[in-house]
Amino acid sequence: MDVVTGFLQFLWLTFLLLAPMLLLGLFLSGVMHVFISREGILRWFRHDGLKTVATSAAIGVPMPLCSCSVVPVVAEMRKKGASRSACMSFLITAPETGADSILVTNAFFGPVVAIVRPFVSFVTAVVSGLFCIGLTRDSDPIPKESEQERVHGHDTHCDDCEHVHEHASLYADRDDCYVSVRELGHSARSWFSDLTSRRKRSKVLGTGASHALADRDRGNLNPDFWSVIKHVFRYGFVEVADDILFALLVGITLGGLLYFVIPSDLMDHEYAQWFAYPVMLLIGVPLYICASASTPIAAALVAKGVSPGAALVFLMTGPATNTGTIAIIISQFGARFTTIYVAGVVAVTVVLGIAIDLALFTMGVSIAVNLDASDSPGVLAIQWGGAVGLAALIIWRFKAGALRSGIDDVLVNLRPVGRRVAEYWRR
């Protein structure tokens, strides 16, 4: 009973810590989706070079895209003329980090690690992109629309991973939901004017006629102010939430299991420290797990003595690579591109992970993991409020189908690993 009680306490404390940060991250995801222009971004990606690769990597850092949804987005970038190197750098940073995962990392590890994590992702993407310039020819023909699934934004259904994203656009005539600050200001002024005129009309014409005239006037706005606000929340708290909530609960549960299963003295032996790097690769490369869900698992590993560098290997490879995504990248960009992509993620992440561990050892610094609730009444109130809000969000989205799709995603990504294990035992 003590073990069960401790396990449940770990789950609750983990949930309490990440809830407010995750909700904030989901909101910021919606803000970035609406107020960052995809067309404007694509104009920066046309040429090879360090500037293009670095810009692409930097833009991908805050983007809340999973490893499945980022592939068709990058395929669209390529179709519109983005270079292979820019596509590769974006393909690495977008799933490895995001506004939500950075804030969740801050909740468990503090601000230093929350900064180091996207920095490592950025360096990995830049190095891999530069290798892509040297080892591939960008004169290869751009894939035709018939050779790939035409994807706008995040509306995807990839047959290899069965990962579905249903995205409703703000506009009837285009798929990019970008709204400029000027357009938002105009919509806000129109909404306020419409609200004022509606009150005046209701006094003169009555409520029914007032609503009819307001609807007629509102049809001239594309989109209206409240549509923009609702779309921000819909994208963050529906579309992005549907992608990560089930995986997040799985990650919290696995983190709790690892915390209680791993012996406290396991990492006291020197061989275990070095053995942790390949183990993290073997776990992280083939399996799919989103950036936010990998964070509580990494926190449990570090709390049990696994080095921060080894945990970083898992944090980087888990979200960026899995068997389904690798198969799609091969079909879209070819075997050479995919080899550079996977090798770059693995090699650079391991080198940086070892370098971070050596630097921490040399300086005599350790990374503290926060697995306790705050002592401050104000912060604790925010954490409880966030936990209640996140629980309500989970129940709402699971009833809407996110639970079923989340289970399907996990099973689909585990299936190739199961087939390979079965083939191995048949031999």
Side-chain angles (χ1 to χ4, degrees), residues 180-244:
S180 67
V181 176
R182 184 177 181 178
E183 290 173 333
L184 181 66
H186 176 72
S187 298
R189 289 192 298 270
S190 299
W191 169 79
F192 182 77
S193 176
D194 176 69
L195 182 63
T196 305
S197 62
R198 189 191 310 173
R199 290 176 178 175
K200 293 179 180 178
R201 289 166 182 168
S202 64
K203 295 179 180 179
V204 178
L205 302 175
T207 304
S210 174
H211 284 316
L213 290 173
D215 291 339
R216 184 195 67 186
D217 294 342
R218 193 179 298 112
N220 297 327
L221 299 176
N222 190 20
D224 62 80
F225 177 71
W226 277 114
S227 295
V228 175
I229 301 302
K230 288 189 291 186
H231 196 76
V232 169
F233 282 90
R234 172 180 169 77
Y235 182 79
F237 293 95
V238 175
E239 297 182 27
V240 177
D242 284 357
D243 282 341
I244 70 173

Side-chain angles (χ1 to χ4, degrees), residues 334-350:
R336 178 179 294 184
F337 180 95
T338 308
T339 301
I340 298 172
Y341 168 74
V342 176
V345 171
V346 170
V348 178
T349 301
V350 170

Side-chain angles (χ1 to χ4, degrees), residues 11-24 103-104 106-109 370-392:
L11 295 185
W12 170 244
L13 289 175
T14 300
F15 194 81
L16 203 64
L17 285 169
L18 66 84
M21 293 297 184
L22 182 63
L23 292 177
L24 178 59
L103 291 171
V104 171
N106 178 71
F108 283 100
F109 294 97
N370 181 24
L371 296 176
D372 296 319
S374 175
D375 295 330
S376 170
V379 175
L380 191 60
I382 294 175
Q383 291 177 340
W384 271 86
V388 172
L390 182 57

Side-chain angles (χ1 to χ4, degrees), residues 76-89:
E76 182 184 10
M77 289 169 53
R78 177 62 178 162
K79 188 175 186 303
K80 289 186 176 181
S83 64
R84 285 180 179 269
S85 58
C87 290
M88 180 172 292
S89 60

Side-chain angles (χ1 to χ4, degrees), residues 139-406:
S139 59
D140 294 343
I142 296 173
K144 298 179 181 178
E145 187 169 358
S146 60
E147 297 174 355
Q148 65 180 25
E149 184 179 355
R150 173 69 172 165
V151 182
H152 295 286
H154 307 291
D155 302 350
T156 72
H157 175 75
C158 51
D159 295 333
D160 298 273
C161 62
E162 300 180 10
H163 199 98
V164 180
H165 301 260
E166 295 181 358
H167 171 60
S169 178
L170 265 173
Y171 300 91
D173 57 344
R174 67 177 189 263
D175 298 292
D176 190 1
C177 298
Y178 169 65
V179 177
S180 67
V181 176
R182 184 177 181 178
E183 290 173 333
L184 181 66
H186 176 72
S187 298
R189 289 192 298 270
S190 299
W191 169 79
F192 182 77
S193 176
D194 176 69
L195 182 63
T196 305
S197 62
R198 189 191 310 173
R199 290 176 178 175
K200 293 179 180 178
R201 289 166 182 168
S202 64
K203 295 179 180 179
V204 178
L205 302 175
T207 304
S210 174
H211 284 316
L213 290 173
D215 291 339
R216 184 195 67 186
D217 294 342
R218 193 179 298 112
N220 297 327
L221 299 176
N222 190 20
D224 62 80
F225 177 71
W226 277 114
S227 295
V228 175
I229 301 302
K230 288 189 291 186
H231 196 76
V232 169
F233 282 90
R234 172 180 169 77
Y235 182 79
F237 293 95
V238 175
E239 297 182 27
V240 177
D242 284 357
D243 282 341
I244 70 173
L245 288 180
F246 179 77
L248 183 70
L249 294 182
V250 172
I252 294 173
T253 304
L254 289 177
L257 291 175
L258 290 172
Y259 186 78
F260 284 95
V261 169
I262 297 177
S264 300
D265 60 347
L266 179 64
M267 292 298 161
D268 291 344
H269 306 285
E270 185 177 352
Y271 72 88
Q273 294 286 351
W274 289 104
F275 190 64
Y277 298 103
V279 169
M280 294 298 102
L281 285 177
L282 291 174
I283 297 174
V285 170
L287 296 180
Y288 167 78
I289 186 168
C290 69
S292 294
S294 64
T295 308
I297 299 177
L301 292 172
V302 174
K304 281 298 182 178
V306 175
S307 68
L312 181 69
V313 172
F314 174 75
L315 282 175
M316 295 293 103
T317 57
T321 61
N322 63 74
T323 52
T325 300
I326 291 172
I328 303 170
I329 296 175
I330 291 176
S331 67
Q332 294 289 339
F333 295 95
R336 178 179 294 184
F337 180 95
T338 308
T339 301
I340 298 172
Y341 168 74
V342 176
V345 171
V346 170
V348 178
T349 301
V350 170
V351 170
L352 291 177
I354 295 175
I356 289 174
D357 283 341
L358 292 176
L360 292 174
F361 177 77
T362 302
M363 295 184 295
V365 178
S366 60
I367 299 295
V369 181
N370 181 24
L371 296 176
D372 296 319
S374 175
D375 295 330
S376 170
V379 175
L380 191 60
I382 294 175
Q383 291 177 340
W384 271 86
V388 172
L390 182 57
L393 178 65
I394 292 172
I395 295 172
W396 174 47
R397 296 318 305 158
F398 278 9
K399 285 184 177 181
L403 176 61
R404 180 71 264 173
S405 62

